[in-house]
Amino acid sequence: SSPNSEGWTINGDWAWGAPLGGADPEVAKNGSGVAGNVLASPGVYESFLESHMQSPVVDVSGHSTVRLQMHRWLEVEDSTFDRAQVLVNGAEVWVNASSFEGNLNHVDGEWRFQDLDLTPFVQNGQVQLEFILDTDEALEFGGWNLDELCIVGAGSTSSNLCGDGVV
């Protein structure tokens, strides 16, 4: 199902559908649809754009460890110029790298598995994800493409570890 029907909010150039190649992958990692920036041909994000995709609040209470696991195909300029970020409850968990020279572009070129520890960012047993793309005036790439996104809770915060139903 689409992120919109699951309670996600989007603005800017985020879309849900089949990737069409060009600057984006030619096919989804699994199934037929992905969430991504500019899924229409040629799949290149615009200059001077701030684009957000935010999840609904997710209850992760009862878990001692919380992780975000997903497949991504990300192509973005050095973060000196264009920033791709993952926020959890408003705190930055991940951002594309930058170099002193500004020439460390992030180009996955294939579906990549990413696993991020969200545990330090959990607030009141809840997480809310946000994916951001913030661009400058030149050198545009394909941006975010996300598939198989999953928030994984493990361990138990209760003292009764055996038979508590938490795997």
Side-chain angles (χ1 to χ4, degrees):
S1 61
S2 81
N4 295 7
S5 68
E6 299 292 328
W8 290 72
T9 57
I10 60 173
N11 71 26
D13 66 356
W14 279 96
W16 165 258
L20 300 175
D24 290 327
E26 293 184 10
V27 296
K29 172 67 177 166
N30 189 16
S32 59
V34 301
N37 300 112
V38 189
L39 295 180
S41 185
V44 176
Y45 54 77
E46 295 178 26
S47 297
F48 297 116
L49 177 73
E50 187 171 323
S51 188
H52 298 254
M53 183 174 76
Q54 187 174 52
S55 76
V57 173
V58 178
D59 182 4
V60 295
S61 58
H63 299 286
S64 59
T65 303
V66 179
R67 304 191 73 81
L68 169 62
Q69 297 181 341
M70 63 185 173
H71 282 90
R72 67 149 206 246
W73 186 309
L74 176 62
E75 298 194 355
V76 66
E77 192 177 8
D78 184 302
S79 72
T80 303
F81 306 108
D82 294 348
R83 291 177 60 84
Q85 298 171 277
V86 179
L87 305 182
V88 175
N89 295 330
E92 186 177 84
V93 177
W94 185 89
V95 64
N96 59 307
S98 67
S99 68
F100 181 74
E101 298 84 20
N103 61 4
L104 184 62
N105 299 331
H106 185 111
V107 181
D108 282 342
E110 64 185 10
W111 285 107
R112 300 278 178 126
F113 179 74
Q114 187 169 24
D115 181 11
L116 300 172
D117 185 7
L118 307 185
T119 308
F121 306 96
V122 173
Q123 295 177 357
N124 301 316
Q126 298 179 329
V127 295
Q128 186 171 35
L129 305 176
E130 187 170 10
F131 295 87
I132 300 173
L133 180 62
D134 189 7
T135 68
D136 71 352
E137 75 277 1
L139 194 56
E140 290 77 29
F141 290 84
W144 286 105
N145 289 277
L146 302 172
D147 203 355
E148 297 185 325
L149 187 140
C150 185
I151 297 173
V152 179
S156 172
T157 57
S158 72
S159 59
N160 181 9
L161 295 178
C162 184
D164 65 0
V166 177
V167 178

